[in-house]
Amino acid sequence: MTKPRKIVLAFSGGLDTSVILKWLQLEYDAEIVTFTADLGQGEELEAARHRALALGVKPENIFIEDLRHELVSEYAFPVFRANAAYEWNYLMGTPIARPLVAKRQIEIARQVGADAVAHGATGKGNDQLRFELGYYALAPDIQVIAPWREWDMAGRAQLVDFADLHGIPVTKDKRGGAPYSADANLLHISCEGKELEDPWITPEDGAWVRTKSPEEAPDRPTTIEIDFVKGDPVAIDGEALDPVALLTRLNELGSENGIGRIDIVDTRYVGMKCRGLFETPGGTIWLHAHRAIESITLDRGEAHLKDELMPRYAELIYNGYWFAPEREMLQALVDKSQERVTGTVRLKLYKGNVIVEGRKSPNSLYSQDLVTFEEGGGYHQRDATGFIRLNALRLRQLGNVLKDVR
Amino acid sequence: MTKPRKIVLAFSGGLDTSVILKWLQLEYDAEIVTFTADLGQGEELEAARHRALALGVKPENIFIEDLRHELVSEYAFPVFRANAAYEWNYLMGTPIARPLVAKRQIEIARQVGADAVAHGATGKGNDQLRFELGYYALAPDIQVIAPWREWDMAGRAQLVDFADLHGIPVTKDKRGGAPYSADANLLHISCEGKELEDPWITPEDGAWVRTKSPEEAPDRPTTIEIDFVKGDPVAIDGEALDPVALLTRLNELGSENGIGRIDIVDTRYVGMKCRGLFETPGGTIWLHAHRAIESITLDRGEAHLKDELMPRYAELIYNGYWFAPEREMLQALVDKSQERVTGTVRLKLYKGNVIVEGRKSPNSLYSQDLVTFEEGGGYHQRDATGFIRLNALRLRQLGNVLKDVR
Amino acid sequence: MTKPRKIVLAFSGGLDTSVILKWLQLEYDAEIVTFTADLGQGEELEAARHRALALGVKPENIFIEDLRHELVSEYAFPVFRANAAYEWNYLMGTPIARPLVAKRQIEIARQVGADAVAHGATGKGNDQLRFELGYYALAPDIQVIAPWREWDMAGRAQLVDFADLHGIPVTKDKRGGAPYSADANLLHISCEGKELEDPWITPEDGAWVRTKSPEEAPDRPTTIEIDFVKGDPVAIDGEALDPVALLTRLNELGSENGIGRIDIVDTRYVGMKCRGLFETPGGTIWLHAHRAIESITLDRGEAHLKDELMPRYAELIYNGYWFAPEREMLQALVDKSQERVTGTVRLKLYKGNVIVEGRKSPNSLYSQDLVTFEEGGGYHQRDATGFIRLNALRLRQLGNVLKDVR
Amino acid sequence: MTKPRKIVLAFSGGLDTSVILKWLQLEYDAEIVTFTADLGQGEELEAARHRALALGVKPENIFIEDLRHELVSEYAFPVFRANAAYEWNYLMGTPIARPLVAKRQIEIARQVGADAVAHGATGKGNDQLRFELGYYALAPDIQVIAPWREWDMAGRAQLVDFADLHGIPVTKDKRGGAPYSADANLLHISCEGKELEDPWITPEDGAWVRTKSPEEAPDRPTTIEIDFVKGDPVAIDGEALDPVALLTRLNELGSENGIGRIDIVDTRYVGMKCRGLFETPGGTIWLHAHRAIESITLDRGEAHLKDELMPRYAELIYNGYWFAPEREMLQALVDKSQERVTGTVRLKLYKGNVIVEGRKSPNSLYSQDLVTFEEGGGYHQRDATGFIRLNALRLRQLGNVLKDVR
């Protein structure tokens, strides 16, 4: 590979990416462009600017952008239309955010004429894939630098030494034992490491940061209504909200009511199992509500097909294949199903529980006439005889063959 | 069809099947054999004997059996190995019980030389399929009688009139407005009808009968450990329990802690949507525990394959295809995956929540050495470079073609 | 049901539908509207008009239309984009034509104010489903009349008697033993019945009507090139052809070269197995050509996803679910994949063989640089080490657990 | 990694693996154990012994074994039970042979106390994966050496130079331009490289080596019968044959009749597309015969489930995951379906065509009574009315909602 001249770095302003910034300057003697995104992680982004300036990045090479709207409307919305969850219940807060950052990095690289991109994900995790598969799909010839896989620093202690050596400030909590490893955005916060590395051990209270525990949550339930239009949530309790405001509100409701904590061992794409805690308060409410509105607006054929394909869709996104064409094919299938997913769901939130209490829709496929115990609604019970007899025909043929066996 | 001489009726002893018994006697002039199964529904079965005798059934034609062990070990166990849930979260308490009854009816029919079987399921629901597809698969030439699809009685009022006319006692609650429609066994209880027929209305408290509400559940959590061997639960808190005792104990734990209620609109095989409440207290704990032990003992390839096929497996069982060969094929696949699913899960039960706190196994695929942030465990971060580059190769080729488009 | 006043009948003008026409007049005392479609079956449609007039149908109630263009462009094109084949190799000539007829019947019913539709398919086959599921999906409240399931005529002899009684002309071949049962359109011709009912017997030569046998085909191969644009064929040997002309030309090429015969036992939706011969000369060439152009233009992720879903897509269409929403979801997925399926395929046709000899595309994902044995094309063989090691990681973890077992 | 002391090399005795043998000796200063398998590739294996001895391998370190029986009965049989084909029609002759070699290498490594294994596959292909994923699954801690990814020789010319330098004989055909790259065993022979690298070019005649062309094949057809027992072929024309003899005979029949050639572009697991010719004469007959016997012995539910999972099963094997647990799960599913796949198929072989003419089975699910046009067989046409009406119910509900749209 040729030596890169200009590198766009995904830069949080924290210890790791500050060290990376310095290391890139030293190792590659290249011009560094920093990109810092507000994804709703709840950190002060201007600190990243000061840190970048302090490390010698030119002001015109510092990009700080609020991507929250795009994160929710272009990434979370499509994923929740699919009811996507990886390995049953992980709502993929991190996997949906990385490709958005990757896409913006590539766009900035084109804008500033950079020939390389870099990120701060380690060589053991999934995030390197989510960044790099995005980079390569969007810019096949871009040079990709993943310092954690290149340098010789093998752990946090060496990182701190490097920072001290180069005058990079290190906050006190980074100096002692390794902290939890976390990733946060508007959809979720994750937590790995420390005592969690033993999957038998109960997490310490401090591992949970975004939600109240069910025990601490209020003793009285909160009831809300969520409106959906074509598969996406648009209002809470009748108040129309833009995507960011809506997810923010759901997060407040979920956090307050102890909703959205999971403690799982999942399997990374690189092959190892990892135990993590994930808090997705608003997303958890959203998933229940979306499933509930689908339950009256989706035909069985639609709903079952989506459900069968969901694990693969989720796996693709978890593994970093947001920009793969098969993800887009599945998205086309999912989106096709959402045209009539419009209506309202009423939920009770209580100490960790999301309890569906009611759902209604102008497109409802539910028919009270059909379902009633009494005759009616154009349904003829005797039709069921033929329905059963023909569905049974193949089983009867087989039964005749098996007669001597069973 | 020829007129049946001897009919084995699935007989609960309640109003409906008592009316059916009488109607069969009148309509077919046939000898009736009653079969009443203890599936853990919590009813006094000897009452069914007295009712049958009162209706003129010969003592030797009355079969009452405790099928609870078979229900749990031969039906619930295989289904929970698959983590099966219909339309996301219905744990199929009814669908797994009907085929067992059908199977025993056929066996009894052979034993007593009967040429027909009958059941009390209506022509609008799924249960007729679960009974009859079982009958036909196991006895292709059996005659099947489904009185609800044959007679002219169109609703409950006429049923009560018929009972009164023929001296069949009718309890007071059957006389007024229609009660909820319910089905119960050791795994669950279902509830449909009345105000539930409007899916926007919150269920009345009386609709829930087997579990405390989360609000009523104790303010202090209960922590338990469940041991699994080859995919099946075998002990609670270290105490080995036979399948029935184990599920009974899980039910007590779940019921007490407000666990296992769902309120859903599902789509029946006959095509209509129906709103129902389901209480599966023990099963809900079981599912969470099984998923947790799988999370450290199943390889990713195993786990994801199971998850992709689960919706179809559940659909088959929900629709009544327990005895279909494709269900058995899927079962063979699922069972193959469970050979190493052995270990212990620790759970906290609290006001509707099943919180996984720890999992351990002699067959654990989790490796702390691999996952640690620091180098180690035989994992080389630089391997990830090649892994990513080759996984990206196809995306880069495609990206080159798309260059002008994107 | 209310008695229908006006019925739109799918009318071929042959014996069966002539009898049906008469029977409907007698049985329902209703006004009959006939609809006869040119689907490329190769019959004189004006004969149908004369027959209808002779049976008393008013001239304004006789609809005869050429649907060939719509059949190819709106039904065959989407299906071949999916490479759809039922039970491995049945190219579904009949299943794609029935829904088109059903759709036009419903449109005509609306136009003329009819309240019922009727068709001539028997109660044992798939076609009744393909008609009626279409009717019901497009006009939920339409009344559907399927005379073969209603009248008491149980076989061909009674049909001939009825015809004789009512002065309907019966051709000689219908009088003797039952003929083959056939269905033809521009895509295929099917043949069932007579000696074919024993699946061990070799078909008589007369059972094949549209293609030469491989033995009779020319001793010299024919080489052709087919151009595709976005997944659909548009030209043969450089000559742009509209869909009907193109399929007609492919049929000539296939028929001449002994291509497209299959002899299969397939399983009908109503549950029974049936042996049939199908001749799809042009479609068979088309399928091979489409697969070949996809092989260089589709990414692996796209191609494999399509292939996994193809059997279900084909099953839906075979079973009559053309207008079901899950078919449309799958179509959206398939169509999404075809945007870059543009290019040219060269084929050798020879005595039953379709031999792909070459394929090229402006969107080709094939790279000679990458594939060459020598280094080059930006591919680094050492990347494969990491690729393999990380793909092996989970297998190694599992291998460690299995060590004592294997 | 520690330096290996003893290496088991998959050794064909050809130029490549001879060079590798020498290189391993020089590079690792290790004791080399050669393993040469007779897989039916049609080469003289004793030549490999002489070559190994000449390169200094100790006689007791030379393993030469006939694995043909195991190849057919333990690898080809299970794969053909699944009707497995990668990307539509590649019958995977190479992918099923590599894991068998890998398994024996590991067994020999254990027997001789070796700590490493090596193979001669390049870093661009799939075979490295088929070897190494096998090694790692069966021996997680084995050291794997893939010389093509390690040394600096980048192409054939350098290989020849190395051979000349170390006195390894080089046949004339290896000296000129690169030959085709081929792999052969009892199931197939593959051909890649040279003019095939342009996917638009027609292969030269010399690229096909195992089969006559359809043009050259006899002008008279050959008719054969194949007997299957539980999914596997056991006899041809009534003569019971062991697996190797049976496949050998099928190969002769196929080769003579111009059967089993394909010319495809497939996508390797490492991401690139590659054009190859494959000749699988016996396997092609086998596949058609197996599908034909399944067509009358498999229930629709079984057959369709198998077909939907087949592409994934084939992909796993193609990619090298023979020993992955999900392959074994799928195998359990497939094998479960084959218990009744017993019977006889009659085929006509003619100039590239495999024409199924008849099939029969003691377990046949085909019923002439059911299928006949006339009433009979216990099938009631009027049952179809209820069957259709209930299958249509959900479409009608949806149609009502869509009324304003369509």
Side-chain angles (χ1 to χ4, degrees), chain C residues 223-227 237 292-293 296 343-347 356-361 364 366 368, chain D residues 195-203 263 265 275:
Chain C
T223 297
I224 61 167
E225 291 183 15
I226 304 179
D227 295 336
D237 288 335
I293 191 64
I296 57 168
T344 303
V345 175
R346 190 175 67 257
L347 302 160
V356 177
E357 291 199 329
R359 59 303 261 168
K360 64 183 178 185
S361 167
S364 178
Y366 176 89
Q368 191 158 347
Chain D
E195 85 277 5
L196 303 177
E197 291 190 0
D198 179 346
W200 180 244
I201 290 183
T202 305
D263 172 345
V265 176
R275 194 254 194 106

Side-chain angles (χ1 to χ4, degrees), chain C residues 196 198-202 275, chain D residues 225 344-346 357-360:
Chain C
L196 302 177
D198 179 347
W200 181 244
I201 291 184
T202 305
R275 194 255 195 104
Chain D
E225 290 184 14
T344 303
V345 175
R346 192 175 65 257
E357 290 198 330
R359 58 304 259 169
K360 64 182 177 185

Side-chain angles (χ1 to χ4, degrees), chain D residues 14 24 135 140 168 183 258 267 278 303 310 328 348 357 375:
Chain D
L24 289 172
Y135 299 151
I168 299 168
D183 179 64
T267 316
F278 301 91
M310 184 277 278
E328 295 172 355
K348 186 165 78 172
E357 290 198 330
E375 277 285 337

Side-chain angles (χ1 to χ4, degrees), chain A residues 223-276:
Chain A
T223 298
I224 61 167
E225 290 184 15
I226 304 179
D227 294 337
F228 286 85
V229 172
K230 292 179 189 282
D232 297 324
V234 298
I236 297 176
D237 288 335
E239 182 186 1
L241 294 168
D242 72 74
V244 170
L246 188 139
L247 182 51
T248 302
R249 180 78 189 111
L250 287 182
N251 278 336
E252 292 162 359
L253 288 161
S255 299
E256 177 66 13
N257 288 290
I259 288 164
R261 294 181 171 191
I262 59 168
D263 172 344
I264 60 171
V265 175
D266 60 328
T267 316
R268 294 179 180 166
Y269 191 23
V270 292
M272 72 191 64
K273 288 186 178 286
C274 178
R275 194 258 194 103

Side-chain angles (χ1 to χ4, degrees), chain B residues 179-215:
Chain B
Y180 291 115
S181 168
D183 179 63
N185 59 43
L186 196 61
L187 182 54
H188 96 336
I189 187 164
S190 67
C191 180
E192 298 176 352
K194 293 177 69 173
E195 85 276 7
L196 303 177
E197 291 189 0
D198 180 346
W200 180 245
I201 291 183
T202 305
E204 294 176 10
D205 284 350
W208 303 103
V209 301
R210 189 175 278 192
T211 53
K212 284 188 180 173
S213 71
E215 289 93 329

